[in-house]
Amino acid sequence: MSSRTSSRTGGRGRGRPSTAARTRRRTVAQALIAFLARQYTERDGHRRRLIGATWGIFGHGNVAGVGQALVECSEDMRYLQGRNEQSMVHAAVGYARQSNRLSAQAVTTSIGPGATNLVTGAALATVNRLPVLLLPGDAFATRPADPVLQQLEVASAGDVSVNDTLRPVSAYFDRITRPEALVPAALAAMRVLTDPAATGAVTLALPQDVQAEAYDWPEEFFAERVWRVRRQPPDPDELADAVRLVREARRPLLVAGGGVRHSAAEEELAAFADATGIPVASTQAGKGSLHHDHPCDVGGIGHTGTATADELAAAADLVIGVGTRWTDFSTASATLFQNPDVRFLNLNVTGFDAHKLAAHPLVADARTALRRLAADLAGHRVEPAYVTGYSGAKKRWERRVEAAFTAGEDTGRPTQAQVLGALDALVTGEDIVINAAGSLPGDLHKLWRARSHDQYHVEYGYSCMGYEIPAAIGVQLAAPGRPVWALVGDGTYLMSPTELVTAVQEGLPVKVVILQNHGYASIGGLSETVGAERFGTAYRFRAADATYTGSPLPLDLAANAASLGMRLIRAGTIGDLREALAEARAADAPTCVYVETETADTVSGVPPAQAWWDVPVAETATRIAAVEAREEYDRHAATRRRHL
C-alpha cells in the first residue's frame, strides 16, 4: 500500500509555488471531516472513495465537535443516523466487506457508554480484517473540571479513559490531545485502513475540547490523496516451494478463505481449479469463491462443512490454504487432517497467517499468486480417479441437500432447512444473504448453494449475535438495487432490532427473515451435547418455584418489527412462506417476513456435524448426561494432533 497526493488539488507540481505556507483555519473536527472526504483508494486502476459516509449518534463529547463539522461539510460527507453504537459498526463492516475493503465508513459517538458500546463491533472488524474508522468522543484533554460527566477515574493513571478499552480490539489506536497531532494520526489511520495485511478497526479518540479547538492547517492536508492497495507478488523461492509441493501431492485439497474475496481472486481460483482438477473447499468467509455448480467445488469445510469436503480433508496429503486464518471450526479443533504425512501450504497476504499449522508460507496477494502458481504448474493435473471420486461424493451430498430443502408438506410449519430451501429456490446470483450466529451459519455452510462470489455473507470470525440487520443496511448501501436478505433467529433479533428504524429512515429495501423457534436453538443443542441439559436456552414462563413451564413466552416479534416501521408479511406454512419471500424480494421498501419454525426438539432434516468441535465438558459430575458427554469428549479429543 502506498499513497500519493494529487497535484490537481493542491499537491506540488513542476513550476507551481509551494502550498506549505498556505493555511486554512478550522476546528480539529472540521479538519478531520474535510480530510476524510478527500481520501481515495486505488487498485487495478480503479479509484474509490475511502470513507463513503459517517455514522453517528450524538451526545456530549461529539455533538459540538464532529456533529458541527458534519453540518459544515454536509456536501462532502454523507451522514447516517444510527440507533445503537455497536450496530453502527456492524453496518460499516457490512459496507466494507461488500466493497472488498476498498471503501469504508466512519462511526462517531459521544464519550462514556457511547464509546464503550463500540468495543464489540471493533473486535468483530479486527477479527475479520475489515476496515472501519471509529471516532469516539473522549474526556477533556485540558481537564477544566475533573472528572467530567461519564469520565472514568483511574487513581493510578490520569491519562486513562474508557476509550482505552478499544486498544486491544483496534488495528491502530491514537488519542488526539493537540490539534497538530491530527495530521500524523490521520495519515497513519488511512495507512492501516488500506493495508490488506493489517486492516481492521482504526480508532482516533477525540477529546471533546480538542474537537472544537481551531488551528491553522496546511492546505496540503486537504489535498486529494490516493492510497494504492498493493498486490504483493510472491517471493520466487516460496513460489518454487509451492509448485514443488503441488506437483508432489496425490490428494491435494485447496481451502478458500475470505482472502480470496478480499483480493477479488475468484476468477483466478476458478482457472486454477479448472487447470489442475484440485478440489476446493471453503471456510465461512470463503464460501462462494467458487460457484456451487463448479465441478471442483466441494462445499464448506470443518465442523459445519460437508461430508465431501471433510472426507477429502481427512485423507489429503497437501492442504492449500488460500486467504484463511485457520480457525477451530475450519480445522475441526485440530482433528480434521488425519493423513500422517499431510503437509500445508498457506497462501496469505499476512505472514502471521501464512505460517499457521507449520505450513510452507507463500506470502502474497491471492490473485497475483494464484496466477503465478497456475502458470508455473502448466500441464499439471491430479489423477482422473481422484476427480471421479470427489465428483461422485459431491453428487451424493447434493442429494442430501435437496432432501433437507424439500422434506415435508406445504401445509405444515417449516423447518429451518425448509426455510433455506424456499429462499434457495427463489434467489439468483444477484441476491445477497447475510447471517452471523445461531444454528443458521452451520446449516448455511452445509446447504447453501452460492450462485455468485458475493452472495454468501456469513460473519463467523466473531459470530456476533445482532450483526445481521445492521450489516444488511451496510451491504445495501454498498450494493444499491440488489436484493439483500438478513436471516435472523429470535434470539439474534432480540439482541439488536433497532436498526430497522434506520432502514426505514433511509428507505433501504432490506429483506429481514425472522425465524421464531422460541429460544436459543443452537446453544440449546450444544448444551445438550456437553451435558448441560439445555439449561437457560429456551424462552419459557418461570413459575414461583423457579422451574420453567412448557409454555413459550407470548412474544410477537412480528408486531415489534411492524412497530418499527417495517412492512410485515406473516407466513404460517411452507406454501405461505414461498409466497411471502417472493413478495418481499419484489418489494421496494424495508420488508420483514416472519415465520414460526419447528422447535429445536424436532428433527430438521439437516445433516449432522461432519466433524468435531472442541467445547470442554465437565471433567467430573454427578449428573449422567454430563458423565456421558465427557466420555464422548475424551474420545474425540484423543484424535487431536499438532501439525509440526
Side-chain angles (χ1 to χ4, degrees), residues 518 539-541 549-555 596:
H518 302 287
Y539 299 153
R540 306 289 179 184
F541 282 107
T549 70
S551 302
L553 293 173
L555 306 180
E596 191 164 354

Side-chain angles (χ1 to χ4, degrees), residues 293-347:
D293 55 358
H294 189 285
C296 293
D297 178 69
V298 293
I301 194 167
H303 179 65
T304 54
T306 68
T308 309
D310 287 351
E311 289 166 6
L312 288 169
D317 57 0
L318 176 66
V319 180
I320 308 167
V322 182
T324 177
R325 298 186 302 120
W326 286 124
T327 68
D328 61 341
F329 258 65
S330 299
T331 67
S333 299
T335 64
L336 186 59
F337 306 108
Q338 287 298 317
N339 188 323
D341 299 318
V342 65
R343 292 186 289 182
F344 295 88
L345 168 64
N346 286 341
L347 193 176

